[in-house]
Amino acid sequence: MPGLADASGDRITIHGFDLSEELIGRTSFAAMLHLLTIGTMPERSVESMIDAMLVTVAEHGLTPSAITARLTHHGAPDSLQGAVAAGLLGAGPALLGTAEQAARMVARLVRGSAPEDRERVVSESVASWLEEGVVIPGFGHPIHRDGDSRVAALRRLQVDQDLPDEHFLTAVLVGNALSEAKGRTVPMNAAGAIGAIVADMGLPPEFARGLSIVARSAGLLAHVMEEASHPIAPRIWEDTRSTSSREAQP
């Protein structure tokens, strides 16, 4: 029985597709990701959206995961894969991994309310979460405090590709309710947009986190390669040691 993949002496198949004859040179990496994880080839609109989301989260500057990768490379310059893996281990509910949580959240809101009651249900849910001290995933950003331009770009493509958007529009309602409750703008971030769009495309929430991890691997590879030629890890380490020494002084 064929499963994910099979390899024989002269043929490799992935979900029934011949790798050499049907996939190499004919399939984008975005479509390949969908084939591998979901088991089918995506519609062209879904393929374009996945490609855009991969581009969206591939890189975001000197983040904690990038710093971790660079420091790991400094300690083990012969282990490129170790440095990239070290950076990926920091993907979680605080950074990078929130797309999956956002997808689950908006999916629950959509399942749990009729369209005509959605705004009320979202407002009540947000108020309840805030009262309980629950962190609402996919909103706010330490850098993009007034709005994340990546969200607008993804939304434009979602509209251009004529994809479903009930979950995205529900996420917008969450942002509105959250901003009203906080008395300040709390914008949707890229992870929130990706989670909502993944849900709109009917993909499992885990796909949102996996997509982020796959994409950020490319960014971390770039950081490690740059570290090899233009190292900054020694300076980061020295700055940390200097700060620790000053704090330790009476």
Side-chain angles (χ1 to χ4, degrees):
M1 178 181 295
L4 169 60
D6 184 54
S8 61
D10 61 352
R11 192 165 184 256
I12 303 169
T13 58
I14 299 173
H15 284 300
F17 288 88
D18 187 296
L19 176 62
S20 300
E21 298 298 327
E22 298 178 281
L23 298 177
I24 295 176
R26 302 185 181 189
T27 300
S28 71
F29 183 71
M32 189 66 173
L33 178 60
H34 189 282
L35 175 64
L36 286 167
T37 56
I38 308 302
T40 61
M41 279 293 183
E43 296 290 333
R44 185 56 61 90
S45 59
V46 171
E47 178 185 353
S48 296
M49 198 72 240
I50 292 173
D51 186 65
M53 293 190 292
L54 287 168
V55 171
T56 298
V57 292
E59 175 54 24
H60 200 268
L62 204 59
T63 61
S65 59
I67 293 171
T68 300
R70 285 175 177 267
L71 288 171
T72 302
H73 177 270
H74 181 59
D78 59 335
S79 181
L80 182 149
Q81 72 277 12
V84 172
L88 289 178
L89 289 174
L95 294 167
L96 197 60
T98 51
E100 177 185 353
Q101 295 173 300
R104 294 185 185 280
M105 176 190 68
V106 293
R108 286 196 302 269
L109 290 169
V110 168
R111 287 196 305 268
S113 63
E116 61 270 19
D117 296 328
R118 183 80 33 83
E119 187 171 0
R120 175 185 58 80
V121 170
V122 167
S123 181
E124 292 173 353
S125 297
V126 168
S128 175
W129 294 334
L130 291 175
E131 185 177 352
E132 295 170 5
V134 174
V135 176
I136 300 176
F139 294 87
H141 198 282
I143 298 174
H144 311 299
R145 297 181 182 275
D146 298 323
D148 191 332
S149 61
R150 298 172 297 175
V151 174
L154 289 171
R155 174 57 177 163
R156 285 195 299 270
L157 183 60
Q158 185 184 34
V159 172
D160 290 344
Q161 295 295 328
D162 197 26
L163 289 165
D165 61 1
E166 186 177 16
H167 292 83
F168 188 93
L169 295 178
T170 299
V172 171
L173 292 177
V174 172
N176 293 342
L178 184 57
S179 297
E180 184 176 350
K182 292 278 191 179
R184 57 180 173 82
T185 300
V186 184
M188 189 190 315
N189 57 40
I194 287 172
I197 293 171
V198 163
D200 275 324
M201 293 191 297
L203 299 172
E206 295 87 355
F207 186 88
R209 184 192 294 246
L211 183 148
S212 299
I213 290 172
V214 168
R216 190 55 60 88
S217 295
L220 292 174
L221 172 61
H223 276 280
V224 174
M225 292 178 66
E226 184 180 71
E227 184 65 29
S229 58
H230 298 87
I232 63 171
R235 188 167 74 249
I236 294 173
W237 182 30
E238 184 58 37
D239 288 346
T240 303
R241 292 177 59 209
S242 299
T243 301
S244 298
S245 298
R246 288 196 300 271
E247 291 178 349
Q249 292 177 356

